[in-house]
């Protein structure tokens, strides 16, 4: 039988990922500290701690992959009008609002995917916290199980 203390700890493990808005890497440090301190006391807390940490590592991995895809497109788009051999490079740069580069669309699409992923991450964290508060197990979608 789960008591309120176990439910509260599991809820705080999920919600402590929001500490990243205050503390750098808080989305890893907060859940990790709470999970390590309480994992031996309850199987429920252990399961929620592993899920929260696995989800944060998965999100970091997805963000790195998306960044590795986005940054080259952005750089190529930025430097596409520059001629590095010509000394008068900055005279030849023309901004055209009527004919944007296809790379701009790709970069914008990847940026939209990143923004949508961020919003979904926030929604999933809140749903996991509410499930823990109700004493239910929660499995984050698209999570790679690093900790089993």
């Amino acid at each position: 039988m789960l008591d309120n203390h176990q439910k509260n700890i599991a809820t705080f493990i999920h919600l402590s990922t929001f500490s990243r808005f205050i503390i750098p890497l808080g989305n890893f440090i907060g859940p990790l500290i709470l999970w390590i301190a309480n994992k031996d006391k309850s199987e429920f807390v252990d399961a929620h701690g592993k899920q929260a940490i696995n989800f944060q590592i998965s999100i970091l991995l997805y963000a790195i992959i998306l960044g590795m895809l986005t940054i080259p497109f952005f750089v190529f788009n930025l430097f596409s009008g520059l001629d590095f051999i010509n000394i008068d490079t900055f005279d030849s740069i023309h901004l055209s609002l009527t004919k944007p580069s296809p790379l701009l669309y790709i970069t914008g699409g990847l940026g939209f995917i990143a923004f949508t992923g961020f919003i979904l991450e926030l929604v999933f964290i809140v749903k996991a916290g509410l499930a823990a508060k109700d004493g239910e197990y929660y499995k984050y979608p698209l999570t790679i199980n690093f900790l089993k």
Side-chain angles (χ1 to χ4, degrees):
M1 185 71 185
L2 294 174
D3 60 356
N4 281 337
H5 180 68
Q6 292 172 345
K7 293 177 188 178
N8 289 339
I9 294 295
T11 302
F12 288 135
I13 286 174
H14 293 291
L15 297 181
S16 68
T17 60
F18 289 129
S19 66
R20 73 174 172 200
F21 298 117
I22 300 169
I23 302 168
L25 298 175
N27 57 327
F28 296 105
I29 296 169
L32 196 60
I33 289 172
L34 287 171
W35 174 63
I36 288 173
N38 296 292
K39 69 179 180 179
D40 297 330
K41 299 175 185 173
S42 168
E43 182 181 314
F44 182 74
V45 171
D46 185 40
H48 278 275
K50 287 178 183 177
Q51 277 297 310
I53 294 168
N54 283 334
F55 183 64
Q56 291 304 312
I57 294 171
S58 298
I59 290 294
L60 176 65
L61 182 66
Y62 299 147
I64 289 171
I65 291 170
L66 195 60
M68 289 173 57
L69 291 173
T70 305
I71 290 172
F73 287 122
F74 178 74
V75 170
F76 290 145
N77 189 37
L78 185 66
F79 292 124
S80 66
L82 295 179
D83 184 9
F84 291 105
I85 297 174
N86 187 0
I87 294 175
D88 298 325
T89 292
F90 294 107
D91 293 334
S92 66
I93 296 176
H94 302 289
L95 294 175
S96 174
L97 297 176
T98 59
K99 192 173 85 174
S101 168
L103 295 176
L104 184 64
Y105 292 122
I106 294 170
T107 306
L110 292 172
F112 178 75
I113 291 170
F115 179 74
T116 304
F118 174 73
I119 298 299
L120 287 174
E121 177 189 5
L122 298 179
V123 168
F124 293 147
I125 290 169
V126 170
K127 285 179 68 173
L130 291 173
K133 182 182 81 67
D134 292 337
E136 301 168 359
Y137 287 91
Y138 185 80
K139 181 161 176 32
Y140 286 100
L142 302 173
T143 301
I144 302 168
N145 289 325
F146 297 101
L147 303 172
K148 297 183 186 216

